[in-house]
Amino acid sequence: MDSESNKNDRFSSLGFIMSAVGSAVGLGNMWKFPYITGQYGGAAFFLLFIVCLLLIGFPVLLAELAVGRGGRGNASSSLTKLSGSKAWGALGFLSVLGAFFIMAFYGVVAGWTLHYAVLSFTGNLFENGDYAGLFNQFIGGWAPIGWQLVVMIVTVLVLIRGVSKGIERFNKLLIPSLVVLLVLLAIQAMSLQGAGEGVSFFLKPDFSKLTGESALVALGQAFFSLSLGMGIMVTYGAYVQKSQSIGSATFAVGLGNVLYALLAGLIIFPTIFVFGIEPTQGPGLVFVALPAAFSAMPFGALFGGLFFVLLSFAAITSAVSILEVPVAYATETFKWKRNSAVLIIGALCFLIGIPLSLSLGGGADWMTINGKPVFDWVDFICSNIILPVSSLVITIFAGYVWKGAAEESGLSAGWFKLWLFMVRFIAPILVLLVLLYYAGVIQVG
Ligand code: PFF
């Protein structure tokens, strides 16, 4: 498929919603959202998160989709086309660059989830009981590179087939499977004796924990969780048909994402609390705490295996969306054929992923900067600097520069006014605060 035919390759309306949900639902929902909710005030934090989504996340998501569909280009060219200025395209390019590097490390982590699914089903995961040791030994070795390759091959095979036959079909298959697994695992976790303690850690409202810091954390998570600032929604927006309402799509994607995050918490916390394991966040939660819990559970190998399959499905549908960002850029800018673009960019991300992955094992000196593995640095720079800056670019662009947003959004006059107010005045200020907070420039109590 060449870049010309790619132009008319569009999502069906359900296919688009599933693909956007597939992108939004990812590792962030599983290992970050549940823990920060528990830590920053349970149901009170959850409410705050919903407020952030409604007031800022949804308007920016809608802005990204509208810019993509209006410009019918990639995450950089859409801005150039709509403004007539290459400078905006250059700012948009930042998200293409971010997407490329995010794919390099996200592919590594997605590989870990596949490995753990296999380890769990075979029962090998539960052999020696030292889950932290096992995990640390695994991630710093060579084996993750093989798993990263598997993830990359799957992602490449999906993308080579294009938008409707590749991305859409894949998500239409994986999202329903993901929902079945999620519901099954949630019922299983909630029926464990003593599950209530986990639910209470996750959701018990504690309004005294709502501080400036928790608000910024909620906001950062709302952005990450909707896959904003990565060029994904602009790129996917270009494949949305004119007849689809992007207002309703925004709402459906946001709702799907929240429900998923909620169910993920209802699986994770009951499971670990029942077995007396301390909650934590990040890789430690899913690769260390959860295996310990599964090992103590009847049919733990089965439920653990299913859990890691769920996690890898969530990760791969997000990986597909992020690799499409540089692929769309390359087919349009360099006029590469789609096949070549997917293969070249997939291969480059894989190659960059190798040192990132090896840096986690201590690696050579050049693999660490200030004592931190380059893996962590790339994650930090992409997630905490590039994503908020790109989000800022898109809000300012949609709010002040591009005048066609009203028509493209299809919103009624009242909703449009509200949306414009949010993207003009509220979102840029709050995104800037998140950026300064994560960059360590400001501290809040
Ligand atoms: N919304 C995704 C998540 O919560 O994991 C964010 C994401 C990260 C999307 C990495 C795509 C990606 F490659």
Side-chain angles (χ1 to χ4, degrees):
M1 193 181 295
D2 61 24
S3 57
E4 281 307 305
S5 53
N6 189 30
K7 277 195 180 133
N8 299 316
D9 188 8
R10 304 252 197 270
F11 284 125
S12 74
S13 119
L14 181 67
F16 164 62
I17 298 206
M18 287 210 178
S19 306
V21 168
S23 172
V25 162
L27 295 171
N29 298 59
M30 299 296 266
W31 75 30
K32 191 132 186 243
F33 173 78
Y35 183 76
I36 55 178
T37 304
Q39 187 185 20
Y40 287 104
F45 180 85
F46 189 64
L47 283 181
L48 189 67
F49 176 68
I50 302 274
V51 170
C52 291
L53 278 179
L54 289 176
L55 294 186
I56 322 288
F58 284 21
V60 178
L61 173 57
L62 197 133
E64 290 206 3
L65 293 174
V67 166
R69 189 169 69 177
R72 287 273 187 238
N74 58 64
S76 161
S77 68
S78 291
L79 279 76
T80 308
K81 286 182 194 166
L82 294 174
S83 64
S85 149
K86 286 215 165 113
W88 280 104
L91 288 171
F93 179 70
L94 198 61
S95 64
V96 180
L97 206 64
F100 178 79
F101 282 103
I102 289 177
M103 181 63 202
F105 71 80
Y106 206 75
V108 174
V109 181
W112 300 348
T113 65
L114 282 181
H115 174 64
Y116 267 67
V118 174
L119 273 188
S120 184
F121 279 133
T122 55
N124 290 347
L125 180 57
F126 309 112
E127 257 164 21
N128 78 1
D130 173 15
Y131 299 102
L134 179 82
F135 178 61
N136 288 328
Q137 200 188 2
F138 165 67
I139 61 169
W142 287 88
I145 292 164
W147 291 102
Q148 185 215 352
L149 183 63
V150 176
V151 169
M152 203 57 84
I153 290 174
V154 174
T155 311
V156 159
L157 287 176
V158 172
L159 288 190
I160 270 186
R161 304 178 75 93
V163 176
S164 55
K165 295 208 179 78
I167 304 176
E168 170 165 339
R169 266 201 201 158
F170 184 68
N171 279 288
K172 274 186 163 164
L173 190 76
L174 256 69
I175 296 297
S177 328
L178 202 115
V179 171
V180 171
L181 280 175
L182 196 67
V183 172
L184 188 94
L185 286 165
I187 295 176
Q188 196 272 339
M190 298 291 285
S191 60
L192 291 169
Q193 200 133 59
E197 206 191 323
V199 177
S200 138
F201 171 80
F202 179 38
L203 288 178
K204 191 167 158 243
D206 181 354
F207 285 91
S208 69
K209 287 197 181 147
L210 295 189
T211 56
E213 184 182 351
S214 56
L216 290 182
V217 169
L219 202 59
Q221 178 64 12
F223 269 84
F224 188 78
S225 147
L226 288 176
S227 299
L228 300 176
M230 309 181 189
I232 295 177
M233 295 301 177
V234 180
T235 306
Y236 271 11
Y239 309 141
V240 174
Q241 297 185 15
K242 273 280 178 236
S243 54
Q244 182 153 12
S245 152
I246 48 179
S248 326
T250 297
F251 192 72
V253 172
L255 191 69
N257 187 39
V258 168
L259 287 179
Y260 182 92
L262 200 60
L263 280 171
L266 292 178
I267 295 173
I268 292 172
F269 292 117
T271 306
I272 64 168
F273 272 87
V274 166
F275 298 100
I277 294 156
E278 279 296 301
T280 166
Q281 75 165 321
L285 177 64
V286 287
F287 295 107
V288 179
L290 277 168
F294 286 124
S295 75
M297 180 190 287
F299 303 108
L302 174 69
F303 288 118
L306 290 177
F307 176 82
F308 284 108
V309 168
L310 171 74
L311 204 59
S312 48
F313 280 8
I316 293 178
T317 49
S318 295
V320 161
S321 72
I322 203 134
L323 194 63
E324 177 64 18
V325 176
V327 165
Y329 179 83
T331 50
E332 200 181 328
T333 314
F334 311 131
K335 305 270 176 283
W336 286 354
K337 288 205 157 76
R338 187 172 175 89
N339 287 356
S340 328
V342 173
L343 285 172
I344 294 172
I345 295 174
L348 282 177
C349 281
F350 169 69
L351 291 176
I352 294 175
I354 296 175
L356 294 187
S357 176
L358 292 175
S359 76
L360 292 172
D365 275 356
W366 63 272
M367 288 181 183
T368 53
I369 302 171
N370 268 353
K372 260 211 313 197
V374 278
F375 183 97
D376 292 3
W377 280 105
V378 175
D379 179 8
F380 178 82
I381 293 169
C382 289
S383 309
N384 298 342
I385 314 282
I386 297 187
L387 297 196
V389 171
S390 298
S391 302
L392 202 57
V393 167
I394 230 50
T395 26
I396 292 173
F397 184 80
Y400 293 95
V401 180
W402 176 41
K403 298 284 177 259
E407 201 194 324
E408 191 60 55
S409 69
L411 296 176
S412 66
W415 280 112
F416 179 73
K417 266 199 189 137
L418 185 66
W419 172 80
L420 196 62
F421 179 76
M422 296 323 285
V423 289
R424 278 200 165 163
F425 304 111
I426 310 295
I429 297 172
L430 292 179
V431 175
L432 194 65
L433 283 177
V434 171
L435 174 67
L436 296 177
Y437 169 69
Y438 280 120
V441 179
I442 55 167
Q443 278 173 351
V444 281

